[in-house]
Amino acid sequence: MATNLTRRNFLKAASIAAASVPLSQVTAKAQSGVVKAPLVSPGSFKNTQTAVGGVCEMCFWRCQLVGKVRDGRLIKLEGNPKSIDNGEAICARGNAGVAMLYDPDRLKYPLKNVGERGAPKWQRISWEEALDTCATKLKTIIDRDGAKGLCFFGHGSHAKYLMDFLERTVSTPNISEASFFQCRGVRDTAYLATLDIAPDENVDMANAKVIFFTGTHIGENIHLSHAKNYLRGLEQGAKLIVVDPRYSASAAKSHIWVQIRPGTDTAFVLAIMNYLIQNKKYNADFVEEHGEGFAEMAKGIREWTLEKAAEECDVPASQIKEVADLMAANMPHVAIHPGRHTTWYGNDFQRCRALACLTGLLGAIGCKGGLVLPKGPKGLTRINWPYVPHEEDSVLRDVADEHHFSPPGTPTELLRDAAISGKPYPIKGAVICGQNIMQCMPNQEKTIKMLKQMEFVLCVDIMPTDSTMYADILLPDCSYLEKSDFIKTGQQWDLGKDPQQYIAPRMPLVAPGFERKDSIWITNELAKRMGYGDKIPAQNQEELADKALAGVNLSLAKIKAEGGIHVQPGVSPYDDIDDLTVHFYNEDMEDEGYPPIPTYVPIEQPPQGFVRLVYGRTPLHTFNRTANNPWLVNEAKTNPLWVNDKLAARLGLKEGDTIKLTNQDGVTSPTTTTVKVTPGIREDVVYLYHGYGTKNPEMTQAVNRGIDDNSLITKIAVDPESGAHGMRNNFVKIVKVS
Amino acid sequence: MPGLTCSSHQCADTVAETTILSRLYSFLALTMHYPDPELCNTVFFEAMTSLLESLGSQTELSLLRDWLNQTPDPLNDLRTAYTHLFITADSGETIPPYASIYRDGNGTLQGRSTEQIRNFYRQCGFDITDTNEPADHIRFQLDFLAALTSEARFEDEQFFLQTFFRPWFELFQKKFMQEARHPFYTVSIQLIDFFTKEEQ
Ligand code: SF4
């Protein structure tokens, strides 16, 4: 600073008088941020207390937590010792919740974009201004175009209440919950069409004799009680069969690793079923009692000999036989995992249906080691926004007469196309809550086009993401550690043990910092301003939880006194399948013009010079959601590209080389990553962890780190039955940078 | 640990000097508040101008005056600038004004420094009014210095400056001054530096 004075001289200088008066005018009115308080001696704040009632949401398995809190500050997270689910264990991501809570990049105040969408310039505004603006903008669109002029993208418990308000009461039909729709939704509808049940991941691996995974990689995909369930099965001697083009963490523990050609899993499963049927090695009693259309299916899949499948899947026929024989020898105690994130190739409904049929063929349902029906606690009161019917002709899949076995919600591709084209109706308002659509919908250019044509985009989140860059108003939500918005229920993780059930409502472990507000408050405030104040189902998060818990004669206070989790006697999930029907042949599907028996639909193979790009998880991140977490970044800094050793030699690549990727449409990844050379992947495939390559510089840890696989998924494959995106149908060339 | 009362050799010579120092800290704290209409008015900018005049800081004076002359809406301008500099930035250029970010090794909020600083406020018989913000926000620290000096507790003031304030502020200031920054905040941060620096 250009002055000849020192502070002391200045204070003594005569010139100070000139500044003194105006300074006092300003400061006399100022409110200090510091006030007199009782004198506290050192050491008085050292008492660490245990806050109970945490429910993790670093991923969506929702383990139960306690927090060590000192002077309002969260020091450490631990599993809740009362938990009969995750117990005292939490994973690396769960532990790193502390760093999420105090991430300086987190959203802190309502923000208004005074720049452009996609290249925002933010200005902090008051909640009043933010909510008034949002309500006016959304209302203007509804008044002009109807509720169908809005769409919603949401993920997680943060989004649920806001989604229900928009879908049920405002009655917009354009709801895309990618976390479900593009992930587990296809699996659930395929199983519903086959077994009349949505399977979730209710597979009793702990008590299985054989565990069968297609593309499932537990160990990389960590959900704690599920991982315990799986490991207990292995400890007790279950044989593990893993079908995967890559030597995953699960493949590394397998007895049989089927290194399949990607996209051919359905052919593999059909050949197993055909072999079991032809050789009378299936569970005939079960099929007799519960099967429907068995003969039609048996006839329809006859062409799938071991040899034919061997050629299609590029695996030895003897290996398919070995897998089938192992299952037959151990049925019904075969845990056929239904999978998670099941949208791969745009032929996924049929693959999931084939898995469900195989489960039925082995009678591996409702028994030890099989697929089970959940027996969680019953009786929680359903509290929700009142349902107001949608306008006629507004549900896009009905208008398009497509995707008749779609999961609840709107097929994302239909939604995006409608918004871009304005047909069958314009969609000009987007509300996005907790979902990073830029990294979960393929073809980012189209997503940007969709967002840019909107009149108004509202984002509610805890962090900036590549999607929040497109918001007009950006609202700061409380994280899962700062609010109560969800009640986790379930049973003990090892189903073979004494049946028990639990009810664990989320409770805040610390108060929300800055001006963050929970999404229930945000939704209610919006609703009031939009004219739906009389429809609000609960005035705040505590009331919402207490009303739900009243159905089982509990309350937040009671459960808090019980240590954050209510545990009660449970019911065994075994032997409850009297009403079960296995639809080997599904007439409803036939009526809608889809194959009524599980059918293999071949996919395009890589063109000359290209390899297929597939992606998955690292156990240290939940995709992009945790990409900015400094503790986790420290452990998993980037996403090296898995390249087969022979392919690497041919391309002149070695371990650690820096590369870019260019896809079949000429799109090049804007960022780089390194090469991991391994024999543990087929030569026609390369593999990345998903969630890297963040573009938003507001995520200071994550920005430009690794490659975003989604930026290379420009070719779109849509599952005809479900309308979900298959996201492993793009091909890349590896470009060495250094 | 310093005593809680003024040690005579460090006291400013007169009560007037004590008052002005306390006011200066309060004023500097205000520059680090999110701008509101109370702050962004002629009286405020006049006070800042006259302070710079008294200091003979010609460069900073022209920086401030040029900005005031060319901005049609200082409040709006400062709000965008404050958000960009201290809250969140489209270009990743945010420099959060919290001690723990710079001092605690892992770059997160509410670190050890936050706790130590708040404990020191409390040991001195003060606390923050708004617990939504971490206690180590620069504005609280400056308000705390204002409170201490208003009671002529210069030993505590010096201890706080040396132990808590300067070690992070220097890193913060360096980051801030590295790139071209908003004139109002460039001036404010230099004023804060001037009034908190140990005299050579
Ligand atoms: S598995 Fe890990 S991240 Fe997921 S809920 Fe449990 S502790 Fe949290």
Side-chain angles (χ1 to χ4, degrees):
Chain A
M1 180 144 174
T3 176
N4 295 324
L5 294 166
T6 63
R7 179 175 110 157
R8 188 164 301 146
N9 289 339
F10 173 73
L11 292 173
K12 289 177 187 298
S15 58
I16 198 173
S20 175
V21 176
L23 275 184
S24 67
Q25 277 175 347
V26 174
T27 55
K29 281 194 290 173
Q31 284 272 340
S32 174
V34 166
V35 282
K36 277 283 204 201
L39 201 73
V40 180
S41 63
S44 304
F45 298 96
K46 303 303 175 217
N47 294 334
T48 302
Q49 278 157 352
T50 301
V52 301
V55 175
C56 186
E57 198 153 310
M58 288 295 275
C59 80
F60 295 91
W61 200 251
R62 296 171 179 141
C63 296
Q64 294 106 69
L65 308 170
V66 296
K68 300 292 174 187
V69 179
R70 190 164 71 210
D71 196 17
R73 169 175 158 239
L74 183 72
I75 310 293
K76 187 169 183 281
L77 290 164
E78 293 173 2
N80 188 328
K82 273 209 75 178
S83 168
I84 56 168
D85 183 58
N86 57 296
E88 291 185 30
I90 53 173
C91 75
R93 296 161 301 167
N95 273 289
V98 178
M100 175 283 300
L101 184 65
Y102 299 128
D103 185 341
D105 293 340
R106 267 190 67 189
L107 302 174
K108 304 176 188 72
Y109 312 97
L111 298 171
K112 166 169 89 175
N113 187 356
V114 294
E116 275 173 51
R117 269 194 215 131
K121 202 171 191 187
W122 298 114
Q123 189 178 92
R124 175 179 164 184
I125 53 173
S126 68
W127 270 106
E128 213 54 31
E129 183 186 344
L131 292 163
D132 288 349
T133 309
C134 293
T136 308
K137 297 275 187 187
L138 295 173
K139 201 74 182 57
T140 306
I141 294 168
I142 296 170
D143 290 347
R144 191 192 58 220
D145 300 334
K148 65 183 188 300
L150 301 181
C151 62
F152 177 80
F153 298 91
H155 190 182
S157 53
H158 298 275
K160 171 94 176 53
Y161 189 78
L162 178 54
M163 179 172 83
D164 287 341
F165 164 61
L166 290 169
E167 184 174 29
R168 293 174 61 88
T169 303
V170 176
S171 83
T172 174
N174 313 308
I175 302 287
S176 165
E177 198 186 3
S179 54
F180 178 69
F181 201 95
Q182 319 282 346
C183 179
R184 305 146 52 204
V186 177
R187 171 200 76 186
D188 285 359
T189 46
Y191 271 67
L192 277 164
T194 314
L195 304 174
D196 298 329
I197 52 162
D200 293 322
E201 281 92 61
N202 296 311
V203 56
D204 183 24
M205 293 179 285
N207 300 290
K209 295 195 171 148
V210 172
I211 302 173
F212 181 67
F213 289 170
T214 47
T216 291
H217 48 234
I218 303 183
E220 296 166 30
N221 172 10
I222 300 241
H223 292 134
L224 268 173
S225 52
H226 202 52
K228 289 204 284 191
N229 192 349
Y230 156 70
L231 291 172
R232 174 62 55 85
L234 295 185
E235 267 165 30
Q236 304 208 122
K239 297 276 188 287
L240 175 64
I241 303 162
V242 172
V243 182
D244 202 316
R246 185 175 62 91
Y247 195 61
S248 65
S250 294
K253 296 201 174 300
S254 65
H255 298 81
I256 304 175
W257 172 37
V258 183
Q259 200 177 10
I260 197 166
R261 173 184 287 144
T264 65
D265 312 65
T266 311
F268 183 81
V269 178
L270 293 181
I272 293 176
M273 291 205 284
N274 187 38
Y275 169 82
L276 294 175
I277 295 168
Q278 299 307 325
N279 293 283
K280 304 216 168 357
K281 291 188 174 184
Y282 64 99
N283 194 330
D285 291 347
F286 186 92
V287 168
E288 171 76 13
E289 199 179 333
H290 297 283
E292 240 183 45
F294 172 72
E296 285 97 326
M297 186 190 81
K299 190 165 160 232
I301 64 170
R302 265 186 110 131
E303 59 175 303
W304 285 103
T305 60
L306 297 178
E307 291 69 29
K308 178 171 170 162
E311 190 168 331
E312 191 65 24
C313 304
D314 193 22
V315 298
S318 58
Q319 197 180 41
I320 309 177
K321 180 174 176 299
E322 190 190 358
V323 168
D325 281 336
L326 192 63
M327 287 182 176
N330 291 285
M331 69 187 179
H333 311 292
V334 182
I336 295 175
H337 200 293
R340 204 173 161 109
H341 187 59
T342 51
T343 55
W344 303 345
Y345 303 108
N347 62 5
D348 305 301
F349 189 89
Q350 292 293 339
R351 183 188 70 251
C352 295
R353 214 169 109 63
L355 287 174
C357 284
L358 176 60
T359 310
L361 201 62
L362 298 166
I365 310 173
C367 60
K368 279 208 160 196
L371 184 71
V372 289
L373 310 183
K375 297 284 177 202
K378 300 252 178 304
L380 286 168
T381 314
R382 292 176 92 89
I383 306 294
N384 213 337
W385 289 88
Y387 182 76
V388 176
H390 299 149
E391 296 164 59
E392 279 185 26
D393 293 342
S394 64
V395 178
L396 289 169
R397 85 174 99 83
D398 293 349
V399 180
D401 195 17
E402 276 185 62
H403 312 310
H404 304 88
F405 290 83
S406 169
T410 309
T412 320
E413 197 56 24
L414 287 182
L415 202 172
R416 190 166 60 177
D417 284 344
I420 293 170
S421 68
K423 295 190 178 83
Y425 47 76
I427 301 174
K428 293 290 179 188
V431 180
I432 304 172
C433 181
Q435 179 167 312
N436 184 0
I437 57 175
M438 287 298 291
Q439 288 194 307
C440 68
M441 281 161 65
N443 201 323
Q444 292 174 338
E445 209 178 303
K446 278 184 88 173
T447 306
I448 292 171
K449 235 180 182 175
M450 169 186 77
L451 289 170
K452 288 225 161 145
Q453 68 80 46
M454 295 286 172
E455 277 172 28
F456 180 66
V457 179
L458 161 64
C459 284
V460 184
D461 214 314
I462 64 164
M463 285 291 298
T465 67
D466 284 4
S467 303
T468 61
M469 293 165 82
Y470 294 87
D472 297 314
I473 298 281
L474 177 50
L475 302 179
D477 198 351
C478 298
S479 73
Y480 67 92
L481 296 169
E482 302 160 292
K483 66 173 168 181
S484 78
D485 62 353
F486 180 78
I487 301 175
K488 170 85 174 172
T489 59
Q491 52 201 127
Q492 87 286 358
W493 66 268
D494 184 347
L495 300 171
K497 296 277 182 302
D498 234 13
Q500 282 185 300
Q501 301 174 339
Y502 68 89
I503 300 173
R506 175 175 286 149
M507 301 175 201
L509 298 182
V510 287
F514 300 94
E515 287 190 5
R516 292 170 189 140
K517 294 284 187 186
D518 67 87
S519 43
I520 290 151
W521 183 89
I522 294 172
T523 308
N524 284 350
E525 289 300 314
L526 277 177
K528 283 180 210 162
R529 287 167 171 79
M530 289 169 72
Y532 301 97
D534 58 328
K535 309 253 182 322
I536 288 173
Q539 295 305 321
N540 53 47
Q541 45 178 336
E542 293 78 17
E543 187 184 315
L544 189 70
D546 277 338
K547 277 185 166 175
L549 290 167
V552 283
N553 204 18
L554 288 166
S555 65
L556 284 177
K558 276 191 199 168
I559 297 184
K560 192 171 209 167
E562 289 182 39
I565 304 174
H566 174 76
V567 180
Q568 61 192 31
V571 183
S572 167
Y574 303 139
D575 305 324
D576 181 24
I577 50 161
D578 289 352
D579 300 336
L580 187 104
T581 303
V582 183
H583 305 277
F584 293 109
Y585 181 102
N586 184 314
E587 280 178 14
D588 295 344
M589 293 191 67
E590 184 171 39
D591 292 347
E592 299 289 0
Y594 305 109
I597 59 166
T599 300
Y600 169 61
V601 185
I603 55 161
E604 193 186 334
Q605 292 303 319
Q608 191 64 33
F610 285 86
V611 284
R612 183 181 300 277
L613 174 66
V614 300
Y615 62 86
R617 298 182 91 157
T618 149
L620 291 153
H621 281 290
T622 302
F623 305 136
N624 192 249
R625 188 179 171 76
T626 59
N628 206 60
N629 189 297
W631 294 4
L632 298 174
V633 167
N634 192 48
E635 298 303 314
K637 295 187 173 56
T638 185
N639 59 345
L641 183 77
W642 289 43
V643 183
N644 173 272
D645 52 354
K646 293 196 194 77
L647 175 66
R650 279 206 303 279
L651 297 175
L653 292 169
K654 55 182 190 329
E655 182 85 12
D657 282 352
T658 301
I659 53 105
K660 282 189 173 206
L661 296 173
T662 299
N663 80 356
Q664 73 286 326
D665 295 330
V667 174
T668 298
S669 60
T671 50
T672 61
T673 191
T674 54
V675 169
K676 171 190 167 86
V677 176
T678 171
I681 190 161
R682 286 174 58 100
E683 284 185 58
D684 51 358
V685 193
V686 289
Y687 173 88
L688 282 175
Y689 296 135
H690 177 65
Y692 283 81
T694 294
K695 294 187 188 66
N696 190 341
E698 294 164 51
M699 294 172 78
T700 55
Q701 299 283 333
V703 65
N704 293 336
R705 204 179 266 287
I707 288 181
D708 172 14
D709 56 283
N710 204 35
S711 69
L712 296 153
I713 306 179
T714 51
K715 186 154 65 82
I716 291 169
V718 172
D719 201 26
E721 290 87 349
S722 71
H725 286 126
M727 291 187 259
R728 292 170 185 177
N729 277 335
N730 283 250
F731 309 112
V732 291
K733 269 187 178 154
I734 306 170
V735 184
K736 188 168 162 175
V737 175
S738 61
Chain B
M1 190 57 56
L4 296 176
T5 53
C6 169
S7 111
S8 60
H9 70 280
Q10 280 177 322
C11 282
D13 286 341
T14 64
V15 175
E17 283 172 24
T18 305
T19 314
I20 189 79
L21 185 56
S22 175
R23 272 188 202 142
L24 272 167
Y25 279 132
S26 296
F27 180 80
L28 295 173
L30 283 178
T31 68
M32 294 288 111
H33 265 263
Y34 185 65
D36 63 21
E38 292 282 293
L39 174 70
C40 289
N41 52 32
T42 331
V43 183
F44 182 85
F45 294 121
E46 273 171 7
M48 196 158 185
T49 314
S50 65
L51 177 60
L52 291 167
E53 277 169 350
S54 309
L55 284 163
S57 310
Q58 288 310 321
T59 318
E60 286 74 22
L61 196 56
S62 4
L63 263 178
L64 186 71
R65 283 202 173 127
D66 289 351
W67 167 68
L68 280 169
N69 286 337
Q70 51 89 14
T71 181
D73 186 349
L75 176 65
N76 190 48
D77 189 29
L78 280 193
R79 286 186 160 188
T80 311
Y82 189 100
T83 309
H84 181 87
L85 293 170
F86 304 125
I87 300 175
T88 188
D90 55 309
S91 50
E93 291 171 347
T94 299
I95 303 169
Y98 306 94
S100 75
I101 303 270
Y102 304 87
R103 289 286 286 166
D104 295 343
N106 58 10
T108 63
L109 294 168
Q110 297 282 12
R112 286 290 298 164
S113 296
T114 319
E115 194 177 19
Q116 286 164 347
I117 285 173
R118 190 160 187 207
N119 282 354
F120 189 73
Y121 297 162
R122 286 163 161 170
Q123 283 169 46
C124 293
F126 296 97
D127 208 345
I128 51 174
T129 50
D130 170 10
T131 48
N132 287 335
E133 281 274 358
D136 55 344
H137 190 292
I138 189 168
R139 77 182 169 100
F140 290 137
Q141 297 188 47
L142 291 165
D143 272 335
F144 173 65
L145 286 163
L148 284 180
T149 48
S150 75
E151 295 182 0
R153 290 160 63 174
F154 299 108
E155 205 171 305
D156 289 333
E157 178 214 6
Q158 286 308 311
F159 181 84
F160 184 77
L161 284 172
Q162 281 160 19
T163 314
F164 297 112
F165 189 80
R166 290 300 302 185
W168 79 269
F169 177 78
E170 281 167 16
L171 303 169
F172 167 79
Q173 184 191 19
K174 191 165 159 220
K175 262 191 104 176
F176 190 94
M177 303 306 281
Q178 259 161 12
E179 300 160 59
R181 293 301 187 170
H182 193 279
F184 174 86
Y185 290 107
T186 310
V187 172
S188 302
I189 282 166
Q190 290 192 71
L191 280 170
I192 295 168
D193 179 48
F194 177 77
F195 285 106
T196 58
K197 201 159 39 189
E198 197 174 359
E199 290 180 24
Q200 304 302 318

